[in-house]
Amino acid sequence: MKKVIHTDNAPKAVGPYSQAIQIGDMLFCSGQISIDPKTNEVFTGDIKTQTEMVLKNIEAVLAAANMKYSNIVKTTIFLTSMSDFATVNEIYSKAFTDAPPARSTVAVAGLPKGVNVEIEVIAHR
């Protein structure tokens, strides 16, 4: 059965979608961007801070489903510039120190709200 996962500790959806959907032991998380869930303010500054905010938002969605980073089996990173790849990797690697998930990184023409990084994840209990 499909279960909608929602937490006030991550940004509200900026469109007609759920923060995450759980089906059985699988969790499909929508892409997270650098929005502060407390203020709903979008941060479009340096890529390091954007990535840290995105990962914090992902962590909050996972927690709402009683999961953590170690449950993630696949991530997709969207970047508006591949020149940010090394910086994003530096921050990302701090979240996935042991047995990192499978991953794709894609350069895109633009992202919602003018941010430079978006990350979506799939997790398994």
Side-chain angles (χ1 to χ4, degrees), residues 26-73:
M26 299 295 298
L27 184 70
F28 300 87
C29 298
S30 294
Q32 287 292 324
I33 61 175
S34 53
I35 297 177
D36 183 331
K38 293 182 183 98
T39 63
N40 212 33
E41 295 285 321
V42 179
F43 179 80
T44 57
D46 70 273
I47 193 68
K48 180 180 181 225
T49 303
Q50 283 189 51
T51 306
E52 290 168 345
M53 290 176 74
V54 167
L55 289 170
K56 186 176 178 182
N57 291 338
I58 290 169
E59 188 174 33
V61 174
L62 290 168
N66 295 313
M67 293 189 191
K68 51 191 171 185
Y69 287 137
S70 62
N71 292 103
I72 297 174
V73 295

Side-chain angles (χ1 to χ4, degrees), residues 55-118:
L55 289 170
K56 186 176 178 182
N57 291 338
I58 290 169
E59 188 174 33
V61 174
L62 290 168
N66 295 313
M67 293 189 191
K68 51 191 171 185
Y69 287 137
S70 62
N71 292 103
I72 297 174
V73 295
K74 173 72 168 80
T75 65
T76 304
I77 300 175
F78 303 95
L79 297 173
T80 57
S81 173
M82 277 297 177
S83 65
D84 291 328
F85 187 81
T87 303
V88 171
N89 270 343
E90 177 188 335
I91 304 308
Y92 179 95
S93 68
K94 294 175 185 175
F96 302 103
T97 56
D98 185 46
R103 183 181 109 179
S104 302
T105 303
V106 182
V108 295
L111 289 167
K113 305 287 187 181
V115 299
N116 303 105
V117 60
E118 178 174 357

